[in-house]
Amino acid sequence: MEYDFRKIEKERQRQWREQHAYRVSNNSNKPKYYVLDMFPYPSGAGLHVGHPLGYIASDIFSRFKRLQGFNVLHPMGYDAFGLPAEQYAIEHGVHPAISTDKNIDTFRKQLDNIGFCFDWEREIRTCQPNYYKWTQWIFLQLFNSFFNKHTQKATPIVELIASFAKEGNTLHVFPAAVNYQPAQFSADDWKGFSEKQQQEILMHYRLAFCGYGEVNWCEALGTVLANDEVVNGVSERGGHPVVKKKLRQWYLRITEYADRLLEGLERVEFSDSMKEMQTNWIGKSYGAEIDFEITGVPTTGQQLKVYTTRPDTIFGVDFMVIAPEHELINTITTAEQQTAVDEYCTYVKSRSERERQAEKKISGCFTGAYAINPFNGVKIPIWISEYVLAGYGTGAIMAVPCGDDRDFKFAQHFNIPITNILGDAFNGEEANATKDAKLHNSDFLNGVVMRDAITIVNQRLEQMGIGQSKVNFRMRDAAFSRQRYWGEPFPIQWKEGTAYPLAETELPLLLPEVDTYSPGPEGEGPLANIPEWVSKELETNTMPGYAGSSWYFLRYMDPHNDQTFCDRAVSDYWNQVDLYIGGTEHAVGHLLYSRMWTKALCDLGHIGFDEPFKRLLNQGMIQGSSRFVYRLKGTQEFVSYGLIKDFDTVDKLHVDVNMVDGIELDTAAFNKWKPDYAGANFQLEDGKYLCGSEVEKMSKSKFNTVNPDELVQKFGADTFRMYEMFLGPVEQSKPWDTKGIEGVHRFIKKLWRLFFDELKGRVWNEDAPNGAELKVLHKAIKKIQDDTERFSFNTAVSGFMICVNELADLKCYKRAILEPVLVLITPYAPHVAEALWEALGNTSSILDASFPVFDPAHVVESAKEYPVSINGKVRTNLLISLDATESTVQELVLANELVQKWVEGKPLKKFIFVKGRMINLVI
RNA sequence: GCCUUGGUGGUGGAACUGGUAGACACGCAGGACUUAAAAUCCUGUUUGCAGCAAUGCAAGUGCGGGUUCGAUUCCCGCCUGAGGCACCA
């Protein structure tokens, strides 16, 4: 009987489907375990081999936990709103719902091929009204809440209104990031405000709020562009100029949760690097805001507010730098500098924030104005430069060249004299950011260690009323609106410029049909093109992609509930996601947003936990190995890789990896590939056309994708699953290479042959196992259990191979050994395991078997072959009993002939014996 | 530019807390079975030097230093690949 994987896998999948083998109940006596994948965006390109990596890992872990007796929730769904579907709609006129459904069907077929244990009865799609109804509902919760600083919790806004009416805003001052005048008001003030004013004030407290923010604006296309759609300052489509434009936007007040987002990291099992990334993104810094008087300009009495983390360096300030968007530019620029400043600001406007930070070239412009150092009256020139960002701190810094690298380079570039406040710690060659030097040239701070000077300066500033210590966050409030069609509509209605929430009974606010997916007027989204929508004064923005993904893990628990987003009793049962698997590309976006939503929902009493993910595993990215051909500019001549150095101008073009064997191009296939290449002529080396290669993200546009369907068809799902795991550690990124898959396939066939011989048929028997066989089994149980638990799936696969190789060598065909081996392998290769399990005569599914229990008695060793080193070099091995004491071992070792030869009679300086490990002699 | 992360044979990788570097595979070479092929099985496979050979010696985990009896593992500096950087998902 042969291993017919196609038949086996089809049959098993049908059986599991019919038996609802993966249906999960919300009621169980078993302990619960929740394994979650980051759900996919169903792109039109379908799955490539990189996508299933994390799914296979989570599938293995889910099945493993199930065998260990847990009630495992392992759902899947689709993050279905997003830009690509809308782009496709613009280009092809196909409604995004239709193309999305089509893409989902493809995804589903591909996923099913691989044999995952998802409970598909819990599937969700973020674009469906019965799902986004609750996204809108949660948005309203955020809109109707504020962050109460005293309790550090989201609190219903009605409590804030009550407090305003009672004691003004003394109890609840404006959030730190808000700059509203008047900053304080009394109860009487509040009652005196108009409805519009009251709503305006409340908006500054709401957790979901409306404000103004900058977007990438493309005049030619009349639309707002994503960063992705902007390349080098022009639009990706058409290459039109893109500039910054201020538009009304919705935001989430995530900055209010900054401290709790930091604190929560201590209670979750994320990798240290992940925690570090989030910590850096939040970017909490302790510093001071300082007001400087401005002089040398027509309008007197103006002040420049800077934020600095190093107030101790105030005597080293040689110039000020403000962001090119800074408001003061209009009022402090002197007449002589006006032209230069205007030119500079226009130049900067076309540049992205990233470009501005990455730019090595130093640029800037003097405003003509000066600030006055409050401690010594020194006049400090005020410059504009793009390295200062408007969005961080106050958008203005005090530059201390001797202590800050960027300031130093700026000073050098513009020949600004540098004051040394560091004494010997500053060498004049480069800045020194130390906090431990003693201050020089610093008036009352001379001789004080910088670290200690920070508090002294802060105290002085506060006494003088010109500054205060301040905690700052790099993180900004999250932009929560898009000028797009394919997203959740906001349940918001505008009345005379004030936003009002729709009633819960009006949800879901359905996304209407449109005639055109083109942008609306004035940078508004396509919804602004619909007269009925506009006449009702409904919000025309839609929510961003991350809205639906910020809470989907809750919906899986209770996906069909139409009374609430998730029943509290159900979320109390499933609680946190025990294991969340996905890529690091979501490190700061999705993970922070969903953590914030969870905290807000918890604060408001809708769920009972405030961190969504207990443990996070980041699978690495499977990269594509791209191949390139080189075409002489303007010709049809293609030059082999080794020859390109002989030519000046060649175009480097991606070529489909499936036409390349190693790096050798199938030139005939290339000619047929695209009509353009039919007439291609090749300049060969050694009779071959060799391609260049590079490792890049796997993507259809780079022609480096490999389709899992073909591999499943050729080798089977079990082989495919194991091979993806065998490739390397899940957490590591690696380029895909199909080459090794045969090895895994051979392994499964070898496993099969322990049960069935091609000619003889059944070979397994009921004999009692011997010690050697039990040892192999229990070694494997331990290895597989340990490796699976620590997500070392690649070494677990190797463990299976070792186990099967050893059983084959022992000619062990005994049921008592083979049956537990099948259970071990079930999470990895479920189809073949179930088929052989049934062949052994079992009537219930192997999915519900019990994981074998490791018995150390079967694997004990009595002796160990110790490596014996002399001065750190291994010279021989000696078999020594594990019970031997150190002195016995030393005696044995020194008596050895080979050891004596290497020791050459020299005295022994040191004898190192690590029991069970090694022996080292130092002479 | 900033943040994170990787670099070990011809290839993917193993070595879990500083203790025999190269497990397990791929590929390659040789052999067995076969009319032949596929499949399967066996042997070898880090490099250099010496030897008919078993084997021996030396070097070796991106590069340069350091700590240690002992470093792929820890520390310092550098080179280099990948991912992210707020409207892609």
Side-chain angles (χ1 to χ4, degrees), chain A residues 333-638:
Chain A
T333 304
T334 58
E336 337 37 299
Q337 290 300 108
Q338 192 65 51
T339 325
V341 167
D342 287 347
E343 274 175 26
Y344 185 66
C345 290
T346 312
Y347 155 76
V348 171
K349 213 173 177 187
S350 67
R351 292 161 61 76
S352 73
E353 203 166 287
R354 180 118 35 105
E355 281 174 321
R356 285 170 55 175
Q357 286 177 56
E359 186 62 78
K360 281 184 185 162
K361 206 178 76 198
I362 294 155
S363 73
C365 182
F366 179 45
T367 60
Y370 293 86
I372 296 170
N373 188 323
F375 292 127
N376 60 8
V378 169
K379 273 174 75 184
I380 308 164
I382 303 174
W383 288 69
I384 304 168
S385 176
E386 57 178 339
Y387 79 91
V388 172
L389 303 175
Y392 182 65
T394 60
I397 62 151
M398 54 182 229
V400 182
C402 70
D404 183 278
D405 192 46
R406 286 163 308 177
D407 297 348
F408 182 82
K409 292 196 171 115
F410 192 88
Q412 270 195 324
H413 187 262
F414 289 104
N415 285 317
I416 301 169
I418 295 171
T419 308
N420 179 14
I421 53 166
L422 295 168
D424 296 342
F426 177 61
N427 60 11
E429 301 287 317
E430 58 182 357
N432 182 350
T434 179
K435 281 187 184 172
D436 299 315
K438 283 187 177 167
L439 285 158
H440 294 67
N441 288 329
S442 292
D443 201 300
F444 63 93
L445 293 173
N446 280 336
V448 180
V449 173
M450 303 177 91
R451 202 175 288 283
D452 306 328
I454 295 176
T455 1
I456 301 174
V457 174
N458 282 348
Q459 280 169 2
R460 284 248 184 166
L461 290 168
E462 280 180 35
Q463 279 165 16
M464 295 162 74
I466 52 165
Q468 53 187 341
S469 60
K470 171 137 192 198
V471 171
N472 228 326
F473 295 96
R474 180 170 296 116
M475 180 170 66
R476 307 195 285 265
D477 282 327
F480 194 67
S481 51
R482 306 288 183 261
Q483 290 69 46
R484 304 282 179 183
Y485 172 72
W486 192 231
E488 300 86 347
F490 283 87
I492 289 288
Q493 196 163 21
W494 289 88
K495 287 175 193 158
E496 286 153 22
T498 300
Y500 290 94
L502 295 186
E504 285 183 20
T505 50
E506 293 183 70
L507 302 183
L509 173 61
L510 293 174
L511 184 62
E513 296 287 325
V514 286
D515 298 326
T516 168
Y517 303 97
S518 316
E522 304 296 317
E524 286 191 79
L527 295 184
N529 292 327
I530 307 174
E532 308 89 80
W533 193 268
V534 176
S535 68
K536 282 190 223 155
E537 295 199 84
L538 290 166
E539 172 63 58
T540 58
N541 282 324
T542 54
M543 297 187 200
Y546 67 81
S549 62
S550 291
W551 72 282
Y552 73 114
F553 45 90
L554 296 169
R555 189 63 179 172
Y556 283 136
M557 298 174 182
D558 197 8
H560 309 296
N561 196 326
D562 55 8
Q563 299 302 307
T564 174
F565 71 104
C566 176
D567 188 80
R568 178 67 196 259
V570 175
S571 66
D572 281 349
Y573 171 68
W574 287 112
N575 209 266
Q576 288 170 291
V577 173
D578 294 281
L579 177 63
Y580 194 28
I581 298 187
T584 44
E585 65 271 21
H586 298 285
V588 287
H590 161 64
L591 282 168
L592 282 174
Y593 302 135
S594 46
R595 290 181 59 216
M596 178 206 161
W597 284 45
T598 304
K599 286 178 191 302
L601 287 171
C602 178
D603 294 348
L604 297 171
H606 299 302
I607 54 174
F609 47 94
D610 85 328
E611 279 293 339
F613 315 117
K614 204 182 214 167
R615 187 170 189 188
L616 177 68
L617 175 69
N618 293 114
Q619 99 257 17
M621 183 169 290
I622 291 199
Q623 293 146 325
S625 185
S626 305
R627 296 289 181 272
F628 297 92
V629 292
Y630 303 88
R631 181 177 64 192
L632 294 185
K633 263 214 160 52
T635 71
Q636 281 293 314
E637 284 292 308
F638 288 80

Side-chain angles (χ1 to χ4, degrees), chain A residues 25-210:
Chain A
S25 165
N26 286 349
N27 295 300
S28 169
N29 305 324
K30 296 177 185 173
K32 72 97 192 183
Y33 202 90
Y34 187 178
V35 181
L36 181 66
D37 292 288
M38 289 185 187
F39 63 167
Y41 175 80
S43 80
L47 287 176
H48 59 63
V49 289
H51 293 109
L53 184 76
Y55 306 154
I56 295 170
S58 67
D59 196 72
I60 288 170
F61 208 77
S62 302
R63 292 171 181 274
F64 174 67
K65 280 286 162 190
R66 178 167 173 174
L67 292 173
Q68 287 186 328
F70 287 83
N71 185 30
V72 181
L73 176 58
H74 184 43
M76 182 47 89
Y78 303 96
D79 187 13
F81 274 132
L83 200 51
E86 182 155 351
Q87 193 56 44
Y88 188 81
I90 292 172
E91 286 164 17
H92 298 93
V94 178
H95 194 284
I98 293 169
S99 58
T100 301
D101 279 354
K102 200 178 132 236
N103 293 347
I104 286 176
D105 287 346
T106 312
F107 263 65
R108 177 64 193 275
K109 276 193 200 104
Q110 289 189 288
L111 289 172
D112 282 348
N113 268 339
I114 303 169
F116 292 120
C117 64
F118 298 122
D119 178 359
W120 284 107
E121 291 172 26
R122 292 172 183 261
E123 181 201 288
I124 55 174
R125 303 179 183 189
T126 57
C127 64
Q128 287 180 337
N130 61 6
Y131 181 86
Y132 72 67
K133 170 181 180 178
W134 301 109
T135 308
Q136 292 172 332
W137 181 84
I138 296 172
F139 170 82
L140 289 183
Q141 301 300 307
L142 296 169
F143 181 82
N144 287 321
S145 304
F146 76 108
F147 191 80
N148 184 330
K149 287 191 179 60
H150 308 289
T151 57
Q152 288 286 302
K153 280 182 176 176
T155 308
I157 199 111
V158 286
E159 292 184 26
L160 185 70
I161 298 170
S163 167
F164 284 171
K166 212 164 134 199
E167 56 252 318
N169 74 338
T170 45
L171 217 55
H172 300 291
V173 297
F174 281 104
V178 171
N179 193 10
Y180 188 81
Q181 295 302 327
Q184 284 177 3
F185 53 83
S186 66
D188 287 339
D189 291 341
W190 173 255
K191 288 169 196 156
F193 290 146
S194 66
E195 160 74 6
K196 194 174 164 65
Q197 280 173 307
Q198 287 187 344
Q199 288 299 331
E200 200 177 300
I201 288 167
L202 289 175
M203 192 59 97
H204 285 102
Y205 286 86
R206 296 181 189 276
L207 285 177
F209 67 98
C210 202

Side-chain angles (χ1 to χ4, degrees), chain A residues 725-740:
Chain A
M725 292 298 103
F726 191 55
L727 265 184
V730 254
E731 288 172 276
Q732 198 173 297
S733 293
K734 56 240 160 192
W736 177 263
D737 191 350
T738 304
K739 190 163 86 178

Side-chain angles (χ1 to χ4, degrees), chain A residues 313-332:
Chain A
T313 61
I314 185 128
F315 289 99
V317 178
D318 292 316
F319 55 101
M320 299 288 179
V321 187
I322 62 180
E325 297 85 358
H326 201 282
E327 291 173 349
L328 274 177
I329 291 177
N330 298 321
T331 54
I332 65 168

